[in-house]
């Protein structure tokens, strides 16, 4: 009985880390969301040690596929307050602590 109780206490105190991609917020269509999710996952798996290279890879692919003026941040411990085009925002977590945000701005600011 005591061992079972100790195991439950240890299990309850362990921190849960998500190792799969988790979309936190998006207003994209389902097809676009799926494509961007796969793109972000592939970039982060390819550039494990360099968030800058992962962000660059994602931005270049989005610019090529959906037109220019995409912005991408890949990193840990950041917050954001942005203006973006409707249906062009994607925010996700990858491997537990890595945040990825991609958004498109109007090239004319309006």
């Amino acid at each position: 009985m005591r061992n079972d109780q100790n195991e439950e206490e240890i299990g309850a105190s362990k921190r849960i880390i998500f190792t799969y991609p988790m979309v936190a917020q998006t207003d994209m269509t389902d097809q676009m969301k799926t494509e961007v999710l796969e793109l972000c996952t592939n970039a982060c798996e390819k550039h494990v040690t360099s968030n800058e290279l992962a962000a660059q890879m994602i931005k270049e692919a989005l610019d090529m596929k959906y037109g220019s003026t995409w912005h991408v941040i890949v990193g840990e411990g950041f917050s954001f307050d942005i203006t973006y085009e409707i249906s062009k925002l994607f925010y996700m977590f990858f491997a537990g602590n890595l945040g990825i945000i991609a958004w498109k701005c109007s090239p004319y600011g309006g």
Side-chain angles (χ1 to χ4, degrees):
M1 172 91 173
R2 182 71 181 145
N3 287 339
D4 291 338
Q5 191 175 21
N6 285 340
E7 288 177 14
E8 287 178 17
E9 289 173 6
I10 292 169
S13 66
K14 286 185 180 177
R15 190 171 164 194
I16 297 174
I17 297 176
F18 297 100
T19 57
Y20 56 88
M22 183 177 75
V23 177
Q25 181 180 355
T26 187
D27 61 353
M28 295 178 171
T29 63
D30 287 339
Q31 179 183 358
M32 188 176 188
K33 177 178 79 170
T34 302
E35 291 173 2
V36 175
L37 177 68
E38 289 175 10
L39 174 64
C40 291
T41 302
N42 291 338
C44 290
E45 287 175 347
K46 182 176 182 181
H47 300 289
V48 175
T49 59
S50 176
N51 293 343
E52 185 177 347
L53 290 175
Q56 182 178 2
M57 179 180 169
I58 295 166
K59 182 201 175 350
E60 289 173 356
L62 291 173
D63 281 347
M64 209 178 300
K65 183 155 185 143
Y66 298 108
S68 64
T69 65
W70 280 89
H71 305 277
V72 179
I73 298 172
V74 177
E76 299 177 25
F78 64 88
S79 65
F80 59 91
D81 184 16
I82 59 172
T83 303
Y84 63 94
E85 287 185 23
I86 295 174
S87 73
K88 300 288 191 284
L89 171 71
F90 184 82
Y91 180 46
M92 69 174 279
F93 294 103
F94 181 76
N97 58 349
L98 193 64
I100 303 161
I101 181 167
W103 74 99
K104 184 174 182 178
C105 294
S106 171
Y108 305 109

